[in-house]
Amino acid sequence: MTFRKKDTHVPAQAAPATLEQLVRWRRDVRRFKTDPVPDDIIQRLLRLADLAPSVGNSQPWRILNVKDAGIRAAIAKSFEAERRKSAEVYKDDKASLYNKLKLAGFDTAPVHLAIFCDRDAAQGHGLGRQTMPETLDSSCACMVTTLWLAAREAGLGLGWVSIVDPSAVTTMLGVPKNWKFIGYLLLGWPEEEHLDPELERHGWQARTPFESRYSELGSAERGPSQHPQHVAAKGAVALVGAGPGDPDLLTIKALRALQSADAVLFDDLVAKPILDFIRPGAKLIDVGKRGYRKSCKQPDINTEMIRLARDGLKVVRLKSGDPLIFGRAGEEIEACQQAGVPIDVIPGVTSAQGAAANLKVALTNRDHARRLQFITAHDRRGHLPADIDWGAVADTAATTVVYMPKRTLAELTEIAIAHGLDPNTPAIAVANATRPDQQVFISSVGAIAAALSAANPDGPVLIMIGEALRYADAANATEQASAMAAALGALPAST
């Protein structure tokens, strides 16, 4: 999950990435692509890092770009030896987990940088070093931090290798004796992106709350006190339904949440005009999840949501439609509750309601449909779920709404017909319900899969099945889409 995806649309107000977004975009990269980094980019990043602050303007860092394959291999061998030695400290499950946390970057990262501190640096004439000589090392750390941020902004990742023998590395690289080894850095294009550190993601160490590391001593009004006072964060999460797309379907409570939010984590399916209602200055974080495409991982989203709330922010988790209907709301609610983060849920108009309203058709009907059921057409693997109640789908007294059916619709209708559903039962596919580019396909259960496949519409699709749908008005839906397109400055697709 990143804030700077080149292939993902991000609203103009969310880009370029802010400093906070760069900081949250994880620094501890362990897996890299082998693609080379152009020399001009490396030079630009190193020159930016060289502008880092240092005590007394000492600039004590010395950067060695290690290009020799033999030396790289020797340092990697040293790392592996030290890693095995470190593993002996841990026992049982901790030892097993430690052995799984292997750094793969030595073989793939295109750039290797060894960082040293010149303890005899003449720059600055020793200013600040007389009382705290260790600040030379701190200055080098400032340089590495600047390099990391510059790398992140360029889309690169930085890995800091700490499990090596400093004396062995110093000898291998043949640097002056007065240079103190600070760290070995791997630089390259990340193979994967995460908002949470790998050690946290795999259960090595959970991140502790900010309040455990921050305290205040006294106050301006009362003078100094004897004990530091911890300041508790008061952040919270609101799980908000954005509706199917038409901004006018946003609820008043959802609007209030958007206009008071400090940070908004929004899904890819949220209609872009709705993002315009977010309070100016709020942090916008695209955590888009799309079926069958590379997307954010749910644990990453949970982690970021909780972290922002623990920092004292009002966080909105914005989802298309109603988050309580096939929106994985349960996982996010549980994550917040386990973390002790307050969470509120603001439901939204689900796409089935929006689509039916546009078509001027009731989903229930005293003569034809006394039951309404929502089902999903794909499971965790993207396949048709194995536990669908096919007898219920074939029930002539029910209206069935199928969410996320694009890839499995042909299989779904074939099985439903085999279980007794009349192939002539009305079926309507709606793509981008209630949006300017809404498309409506009125057909039958036996023919809807072929019709949808031939049209291959882009965007989210749902299927409505049942006798109550015989009264649908496709012309009215097209007129509504045209009116909305005129209001929003977009042209509707043909239906």
Side-chain angles (χ1 to χ4, degrees), residues 215-434:
S215 60
E216 293 181 355
L217 184 60
S219 66
E221 293 81 11
R222 298 184 180 182
S225 60
Q226 288 186 318
H227 301 288
Q229 301 296 313
H230 289 286
V231 178
K234 296 181 179 180
V237 172
L239 191 56
V240 177
D246 182 352
D248 288 342
L249 294 180
L250 198 66
T251 67
I252 294 175
K253 191 171 184 179
L255 180 62
R256 288 173 178 164
L258 293 177
Q259 293 182 342
S260 63
D262 297 313
V264 178
L265 290 79
F266 63 94
D267 276 349
D268 199 46
L269 293 179
V270 173
K272 298 304 180 279
I274 290 174
L275 300 180
D276 293 336
F277 290 103
I278 297 172
R279 178 183 69 82
K283 303 171 181 65
L284 291 183
I285 304 173
D286 182 355
V287 293
K289 294 193 297 181
R290 297 293 299 271
Y292 310 101
R293 303 182 189 179
K294 184 178 180 181
S295 58
C296 299
K297 297 179 175 61
Q298 187 63 50
D300 288 348
I301 297 173
N302 296 346
T303 298
E304 178 68 355
M305 205 169 46
I306 292 166
R307 181 172 301 157
L308 289 168
R310 282 177 168 171
D311 283 347
L313 304 184
K314 294 179 181 178
V315 182
V316 165
R317 175 70 177 99
L318 188 63
K319 292 173 171 285
S320 178
D322 183 346
L324 301 175
I325 298 178
F326 302 124
R328 300 182 73 167
E331 296 172 52
E332 294 177 351
I333 293 170
E334 181 182 10
C336 287
Q337 290 175 337
Q338 289 182 349
V341 171
I343 184 168
D344 188 21
V345 180
I346 301 176
V349 175
T350 189
S351 53
Q353 295 171 305
N358 271 11
L359 292 168
K360 292 190 182 305
V361 61
L363 292 172
T364 58
N365 183 293
R366 286 191 297 174
D367 296 325
H368 299 292
R370 292 173 294 280
R371 184 162 56 83
L372 173 64
Q373 56 193 5
F374 295 161
I375 67 173
T376 176
H378 81 246
D379 58 17
R380 287 178 179 269
R381 302 169 301 161
H383 301 160
L384 188 68
D387 57 356
I388 291 178
D389 184 344
W390 295 107
V393 175
D395 184 359
T396 57
T399 299
T400 302
V401 180
V402 186
Y403 284 72
M404 298 165 281
K406 274 187 176 180
R407 297 289 184 91
T408 60
L409 182 58
E411 182 183 5
L412 184 148
T413 53
E414 181 181 350
I415 297 176
I417 291 171
H419 280 78
L421 181 62
D422 186 342
N424 294 316
T425 302
I428 303 176
V430 182
N432 300 306
T434 79

Side-chain angles (χ1 to χ4, degrees), residues 25-292:
W25 190 16
R26 293 314 307 176
R27 62 190 179 280
D28 54 344
V29 177
R30 290 169 175 260
R31 295 170 182 82
F32 299 87
K33 298 177 182 177
T34 56
D35 303 26
V37 180
D39 289 340
D40 61 329
I41 293 181
I42 297 172
Q43 281 294 313
R44 181 175 69 85
L45 298 182
L46 293 179
R47 289 181 181 277
L48 281 173
D50 191 58
L51 298 175
S54 59
V55 61
N57 199 29
S58 55
Q59 307 148 68
W61 48 80
R62 303 293 180 260
I63 307 170
L64 185 61
N65 192 340
V66 182
K67 296 186 175 183
D68 185 280
I71 295 177
R72 285 188 178 193
I75 293 176
K77 186 176 180 180
S78 171
F79 162 79
E80 191 60 36
E82 293 300 319
R83 191 189 68 81
R84 287 195 299 268
K85 190 186 303 181
S86 298
E88 298 173 0
V89 175
Y90 303 106
K91 306 293 183 184
D92 303 324
D93 292 344
K94 210 69 173 179
S96 177
L97 181 55
Y98 177 86
N99 287 320
K100 292 178 182 178
L101 299 172
K102 295 191 68 174
L103 179 69
F106 274 113
D107 297 328
T108 55
V111 183
H112 290 216
L113 303 173
I115 310 300
F116 294 88
C117 177
D118 184 355
R119 289 303 186 89
D120 295 335
Q123 301 97 310
H125 307 291
L127 184 63
R129 280 180 268 168
Q130 307 305 320
T131 54
M132 296 181 66
E134 64 274 13
T135 53
L136 287 176
D137 296 348
S138 301
S139 297
C140 293
C142 286
M143 184 279 295
V144 173
T145 299
T146 306
L147 176 60
W148 156 54
L149 285 172
R152 294 281 68 188
E153 193 276 336
L156 290 159
L158 187 71
W160 190 327
V161 183
S162 58
I163 308 175
V164 288
D165 182 349
S167 60
V169 173
T170 300
T171 300
M172 290 178 201
L173 297 176
V175 300
K177 293 182 179 179
N178 57 301
W179 287 15
K180 178 185 176 182
F181 179 69
I182 297 296
Y184 197 82
L185 309 181
L186 302 175
L187 182 69
W189 308 106
E191 188 177 81
E192 55 188 16
E193 298 287 359
H194 295 279
L195 286 167
D196 55 336
E198 182 168 352
L199 295 181
E200 183 177 344
R201 192 164 59 255
H202 291 288
W204 182 265
Q205 169 67 62
R207 188 169 181 83
T208 55
F210 166 74
E211 305 84 68
S212 66
R213 295 180 296 280
Y214 174 73
S215 60
E216 293 181 355
L217 184 60
S219 66
E221 293 81 11
R222 298 184 180 182
S225 60
Q226 288 186 318
H227 301 288
Q229 301 296 313
H230 289 286
V231 178
K234 296 181 179 180
V237 172
L239 191 56
V240 177
D246 182 352
D248 288 342
L249 294 180
L250 198 66
T251 67
I252 294 175
K253 191 171 184 179
L255 180 62
R256 288 173 178 164
L258 293 177
Q259 293 182 342
S260 63
D262 297 313
V264 178
L265 290 79
F266 63 94
D267 276 349
D268 199 46
L269 293 179
V270 173
K272 298 304 180 279
I274 290 174
L275 300 180
D276 293 336
F277 290 103
I278 297 172
R279 178 183 69 82
K283 303 171 181 65
L284 291 183
I285 304 173
D286 182 355
V287 293
K289 294 193 297 181
R290 297 293 299 271
Y292 310 101

